[in-house]
Amino acid sequence: MNKVIACIDGSRSSLSVCDYAAWASRRMNSPLTLLHVIHNPHADAQRDLSGNLSLGGREALLEQMVEAEEQRGKLLREQGRAILHDALERVRANGVADPGSLLRNDGVTAALDDIQEEARLVVVGKQGKDGDMLKQHVGSHLESIIRTLKRGVLVAPLEYREPERFLIAYDGSATAHTVVEKVSESPLLKGLEAHILMVGDDNQENRSRLDNARGTLAQNGFDVRAQIRTGDVAEAVCAYRQEHDIHLLAMGAYGHSRLRRWFVGSTTTNMIMRSPIPLIILR
């Protein structure tokens, strides 16, 4: 449970994923492993196609189809090794001394699920290779990864910027305070300027909860700014991010609160599309 695992696919996001993964690896003093996934090309080649030959029994055609699929699988594996080689060179240049690599023949969510017990943090790109032509397209596997993994997930935007300040989206729940505690105990964000935003009624109960969260971070050496705002959660968080030049947004899975309704399902896509900064989702 100590590795940073970075999922790369050769898309434009892979450069930023490498940079944020290297940053996280250095900050946490954790080993870094790069993962590239091929989607079962060899398994597709092994499908039983004999039923397609009932008319005419074209064995030669069947052999050609199998050979073509095997060649496709071989090319994809070679491409995967090349992608990993370039990524290894990039993270080494970013100060990671001994990165590892994995080439898996699987679906990306299943591959990450299999190795998540080794992970301290998983880094994925906001945009996958299918979204390279669309500025705000969110990777097709991203939502299933966030739903499946029990480890923290860092969603990287297209451009890397080393974080200097971060924002915790906070709703006052026990789960939200667990996120605050995890942030305060981890070396990942230590030394960065901390902001906590609570969107809700500005009353004594919420102020008390917010003060408790601010105190937890302050006791662990963070310079903290905390604020309550009313209104729509998405609008309030985005406005605060712009006003304070926030470089990274952190949050958790918040049960059935307004934050969860915002961050889970179709609203997850909406939030990620709107945010030009990395997002950390903590369990």
Side-chain angles (χ1 to χ4, degrees):
M1 280 185 58
N2 192 43
K3 291 182 181 179
V4 175
I5 296 177
C7 190
I8 58 172
D9 61 3
S11 68
R12 288 188 301 149
S13 283
S14 293
L15 300 179
S16 177
V17 168
C18 288
D19 294 344
Y20 277 108
W23 170 78
S25 175
R26 296 193 309 269
R27 298 278 303 182
M28 297 191 294
N29 194 28
S30 294
L32 171 59
T33 295
L34 301 169
L35 171 68
H36 180 69
V37 176
I38 300 169
H39 184 57
N40 287 331
H42 189 61
D44 289 342
Q46 296 303 314
R47 290 180 302 174
D48 182 4
L49 302 176
S50 58
N52 298 338
L53 305 176
S54 56
L55 298 178
R58 297 181 176 87
E59 289 84 358
L61 177 59
L62 173 60
E63 290 178 4
Q64 291 175 17
M65 293 170 67
V66 172
E67 289 175 2
E69 285 297 322
E70 290 177 345
Q71 181 63 19
R72 173 177 173 269
K74 179 181 178 181
L75 292 174
L76 285 174
R77 290 190 292 274
E78 291 178 357
Q79 180 189 47
R81 285 189 284 268
I83 289 171
L84 285 169
H85 176 270
D86 291 347
L88 287 168
E89 291 298 309
R90 189 175 184 92
V91 298
R92 288 191 186 106
N94 281 334
V96 179
D98 190 23
S101 64
L102 285 173
L103 181 63
R104 292 290 296 269
N105 190 1
D106 207 340
V108 61
T109 304
L112 285 170
D113 190 27
D114 285 345
I115 62 175
Q116 69 169 307
E117 295 301 323
E118 305 173 19
R120 190 173 184 180
L121 180 70
V122 175
V123 184
V124 297
K126 172 180 174 178
Q127 291 179 276
K129 59 184 178 181
D130 296 333
D132 275 348
M133 300 305 294
L134 300 174
K135 181 178 180 182
Q136 291 188 324
H137 179 88
V138 175
S140 58
H141 300 291
L142 184 54
E143 186 176 329
S144 64
I145 289 171
I146 293 172
R147 287 178 175 272
T148 301
L149 298 188
K150 299 178 178 65
R151 300 292 182 253
V153 178
L154 190 157
V155 182
L158 284 175
E159 302 294 334
Y160 173 75
R161 178 185 185 185
E162 184 163 335
E164 297 176 6
R165 61 190 64 89
F166 67 92
L167 171 65
I168 297 177
Y170 183 75
D171 72 348
S173 67
T175 304
H177 196 76
T178 298
V179 171
V180 172
E181 290 175 338
K182 287 185 176 182
V183 168
S184 70
E185 294 166 359
S186 171
L188 180 62
L189 304 180
K190 283 286 175 67
L192 307 187
E193 183 179 288
H195 294 248
I196 306 175
L197 178 64
M198 187 175 191
V199 181
D201 295 332
D202 189 353
N203 55 40
Q204 185 58 45
E205 182 180 8
N206 282 342
R207 284 194 171 276
S208 177
R209 290 174 176 173
L210 190 61
D211 286 343
N212 189 27
R214 175 168 48 192
T216 298
L217 288 168
Q219 288 171 9
N220 284 275
F222 286 89
D223 176 20
V224 188
R225 302 181 186 183
Q227 190 173 129
I228 296 177
R229 292 192 178 184
T230 59
D232 178 76
V233 174
E235 296 297 334
V237 172
C238 290
Y240 190 95
R241 172 187 61 77
Q242 293 173 345
E243 292 167 13
H244 296 273
D245 190 24
I246 298 298
H247 301 161
L248 182 146
L249 176 63
M251 64 156 297
Y254 290 108
H256 297 287
S257 70
R258 286 196 298 163
L259 278 171
R260 179 173 175 82
R261 290 197 294 272
W262 181 37
F263 282 100
V264 174
S266 62
T267 47
T268 302
T269 301
N270 177 55
M271 178 276 301
I272 296 173
M273 286 175 62
R274 296 182 62 175
S275 178
I277 63 174
L279 166 71
I280 293 181
I281 299 177
L282 297 172
R283 301 289 178 178

